[in-house]
Amino acid sequence: MTTLFDPLTVRGVTLRNRIGMSPMCQYSADEGRATDWHLLHLGSRAAGGAGLIVVEATAVTAAGRISPGDAGLWNDEQIPSWRRVTEIIKQNGAVPAVQLAHAGRKASTARPWDGSGSLADADGGWETIAPTAVAGSEKLWRIPREMTSADIEATQQAFCDAAVRALEAGFAWLEIHGAHGYLHNSFLSPLTNQREDEYGGSLENRMRFTLDTAVKMRQITPDDVPLTIRLSATEWHDDGWTLDDSVVLSQRLKAVGVDLIDCSSSPMPGGQRPTFEQGWQVPLAERIKKEAGILTAAVGGIRDPHFAESVVAEGRADLVLLGRELLADPYWPYHTAVALEQDLDDVLPTQYSYWLKRYEL
């Protein structure tokens, strides 16, 4: 028996296995709306056997997009396009999740294959906002406007409004994007938050924006729908956000109704350079799971079936999320099931499992 293919129930949602697809930006939306690309990209990973499909960073405001090609749920007109996506994911046995996001000072950029740098107004760029009016880097040169109390309240409301739209679109699992230097992460990190009001300075203050947002989202989210968050569990920098901080925040998030921490990280300039080997971020999920007493998802170059099985079987995390490996192989869950001698009926649609079980290929 394997553990990786055991179901996982979170609130009223049951995943068929412990394998999920990480949210990966495709920069291929049409004014925030899903396109045929999303149907192909997300539907094929559901058919390939993943239990959870997390749709890419989906902007809660137009100004919160990373690029003009970002997914969005900032208006009702975007709902029908995402309903098509959730339906095809469900039809293929997976649970559709969405990562609701605001890019903060990393907004208004070109798509990665167009350079990723800040877009000038003349090139279609827009005003950005952040906790502090400091540019992201030489490449991300646009200086954001420091958020006022009114901006903070409006942005939190935008997360709630987008959550309502996501539920109407058929998403069954909500994730807040709190990682990778985007808005929530930039409030948390002392490297990027230089505020002197109740949202800056102490750890308690820097956690306030994210905790308050989680409270408001939990209040409008049905009891049977999981609410999760992706954190940069550490910035790998002595002066930055640390794993110790993440344990504290995770405890607080659990107390207000967050169900799972999706554990990533953000190496920052001037800090440590981690070794990017398979499972390099799994220890982050393991520590948060054990010390905060909350479900966790592990990420970080996971590709070997037996390694993935060990992460879950040893209780280091409750599920594994794959990114590039699922881009390269949408049927990684199927190949993993074969390697772990799992019944294919529990993994693939009947249209595939019947033939693959009947004949040796």
Side-chain angles (χ1 to χ4, degrees), residues 38 82 307 311 326 340 356:
H38 294 93
W82 291 109
F307 178 81
V311 170
L326 276 177
L340 300 179
L356 292 172

Side-chain angles (χ1 to χ4, degrees), residues 169-189:
F171 288 103
W173 179 298
L174 304 178
E175 178 173 280
I176 300 168
H177 196 348
H180 305 158
Y182 298 116
L183 186 62
H184 279 277
N185 184 209
S186 63
F187 267 97
L188 295 170
S189 173

Side-chain angles (χ1 to χ4, degrees), residues 41-102:
H41 167 62
L42 299 165
S44 61
R45 273 76 194 170
L52 180 71
I53 303 293
V54 188
V55 171
E56 65 198 81
T58 300
V60 300
T61 68
R65 294 170 295 164
I66 305 167
S67 81
D70 279 31
L73 276 169
W74 65 80
N75 65 49
D76 292 349
E77 288 70 32
Q78 293 157 336
I79 294 172
S81 69
W82 291 109
R83 189 177 292 122
R84 295 176 67 214
V85 170
T86 61
E87 287 172 353
I88 198 169
I89 292 172
K90 292 174 181 177
Q91 288 167 10
N92 285 284
V95 170
V98 62
Q99 184 187 70
L100 299 176
H102 191 296

Side-chain angles (χ1 to χ4, degrees), residues 206-260:
R206 287 183 281 110
M207 294 191 300
R208 192 182 309 276
F209 175 72
T210 296
L211 284 169
D212 287 352
T213 303
V215 167
K216 292 178 179 181
M217 287 185 65
R218 184 74 268 175
Q219 288 173 344
I220 56 90
T221 301
D223 288 343
D224 60 349
V225 174
L227 177 61
T228 72
I229 184 167
R230 170 165 275 199
L231 292 181
S232 283
T234 178
E235 291 181 315
W236 305 94
H237 194 295
D238 291 342
D239 298 324
W241 181 259
T242 69
L243 184 52
D244 289 342
D245 296 334
S246 286
V247 170
V248 173
L249 176 59
S250 298
Q251 292 169 337
R252 297 285 299 277
L253 287 166
K254 180 183 179 182
V256 300
V258 170
D259 300 294
L260 176 145

Side-chain angles (χ1 to χ4, degrees), residues 5-22:
F5 286 92
D6 285 347
L8 175 66
T9 298
V10 184
R11 292 189 181 259
V13 173
T14 298
L15 307 180
R16 60 183 169 186
N17 57 48
R18 309 299 184 94
I19 302 168
M21 188 187 81
S22 281

